[in-house]
Amino acid sequence: MTVIWHNPRCSKSRETLALLHARGVMPEVRLYLQDPPSEPELRAALAALGRPAAGLVRRGEALFRSLGLATAGE
């Protein structure tokens, strides 16, 4: 079963869901803002992606910049 952690207000999330549908994939849609993934789920997703959590951060967001996180974890 394919699951998408989805935010209907996010254009990239909507595009991804539309692409899946266009390819005949009907995923389980999880509205992650209402039903956030647990820490084990996040760790499993990161392991499956082969990426550290920092690689998923949207660095262009105003909140990221305002918190001065550009050098966090360095």
Side-chain angles (χ1 to χ4, degrees):
M1 168 55 90
T2 301
V3 178
I4 181 173
W5 294 348
H6 182 57
N7 177 356
R9 296 186 65 197
C10 173
S11 63
K12 296 294 183 194
S13 189
R14 289 191 311 270
E15 289 171 12
T16 300
L17 186 56
L19 179 63
L20 289 170
H21 286 165
R23 294 193 176 177
V25 177
M26 297 303 173
E28 175 186 331
V29 176
R30 181 171 176 180
L31 301 176
Y32 68 85
L33 294 176
Q34 296 171 353
D35 181 18
S38 66
E39 181 180 341
E41 289 173 313
L42 288 170
R43 289 186 183 279
L46 290 168
L49 291 169
R51 298 182 69 178
L56 303 179
V57 174
R58 295 176 66 167
R59 296 178 171 270
E61 296 291 321
L63 180 59
F64 181 85
R65 289 190 306 273
S66 72
L67 293 173
L69 297 174
T71 59
E74 291 182 359

